[in-house]
């Protein structure tokens, strides 16, 4: 389905029509999911980011310029959502400090690694 065919549904979405949102979701979900799966490898993360993308789309739909292609606008939201997710992940990774316990010999005497997480 092209943007011209989506236009009546997008107009209905502007009024808060949830059925129109579901239709747009069903029509665009495969493309959004495929884009995210190309950039993210964890299946659960892909699902979470896809859901967050559509929440973001719904909340910012009032900013959509109907004179421009809808799919490009949605693609921009999708890519920004992935970037935001990656930044949040990097911040978490930077705040999590792994301190290896080298005092008992590395690895531990029983052959396992010992570490403590600080964060």
């Amino acid at each position: 389905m092209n943007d011209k065919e989506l236009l009546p549904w997008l107009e209905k979405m502007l009024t808060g029509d949830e059925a129109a949102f579901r239709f747009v979701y069903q029509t665009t979900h495969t493309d959004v999911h495929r884009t995210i799966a190309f950039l993210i490898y964890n299946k659960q993360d892909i699902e979470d980011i896809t859901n967050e993308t559509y929440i973001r789309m719904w909340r910012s739909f009032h900013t959509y310029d109907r004179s421009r292609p809808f799919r490009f606008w949605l693609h921009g939201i999708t890519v920004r959502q992935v970037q935001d997710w990656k930044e949040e992940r990097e911040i978490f990774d930077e705040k999590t400090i792994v301190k290896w316990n080298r005092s008992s010999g590395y690895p531990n005497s029983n052959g396992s690694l010992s570490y403590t997480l600080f964060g």
Side-chain angles (χ1 to χ4, degrees):
M1 177 171 283
N2 63 33
D3 281 355
K4 285 184 181 182
E5 295 169 326
L6 271 178
L7 193 57
W9 296 99
L10 298 174
E11 295 290 337
K12 289 179 183 180
M13 271 183 57
L14 279 173
T15 65
D17 187 331
E18 290 183 25
F21 174 82
R22 280 192 296 277
F23 181 81
V24 171
Y25 173 87
Q26 291 169 347
T27 304
T28 60
H29 179 267
T30 300
D31 291 337
V32 169
H33 192 271
R34 187 179 306 131
T35 299
I36 295 168
F38 180 75
L39 300 168
I40 302 295
Y41 305 111
N42 181 290
K43 185 175 173 71
Q44 184 59 50
D45 291 338
I46 293 168
E47 297 303 322
D48 292 345
I49 296 168
T50 300
N51 291 335
E52 291 295 323
T53 297
Y54 281 99
I55 291 169
R56 193 173 196 170
M57 181 197 78
W58 179 260
R59 289 182 179 158
S60 62
F61 190 69
H62 66 280
T63 66
Y64 168 60
D65 178 0
R66 291 181 298 267
S67 67
R68 304 193 68 186
F70 174 74
R71 289 183 187 268
F72 290 145
W73 180 77
L74 181 57
H75 181 76
I77 289 175
T78 303
V79 171
R80 280 191 302 279
Q81 192 66 41
V82 170
Q83 289 171 336
D84 290 351
W85 179 86
K86 285 183 175 183
E87 287 174 9
E88 289 173 11
R89 184 69 137 217
E90 287 173 9
I91 290 170
F92 173 76
D93 289 344
E94 288 174 8
K95 288 184 177 179
T96 303
I97 302 168
V98 176
K99 179 181 176 186
W100 295 100
N101 181 359
R102 297 179 187 267
S103 62
S104 62
Y106 178 77
N108 287 342
S109 55
N110 64 2
S112 66
L113 297 176
S114 176
Y115 62 90
T116 306
L117 289 178
F118 298 92

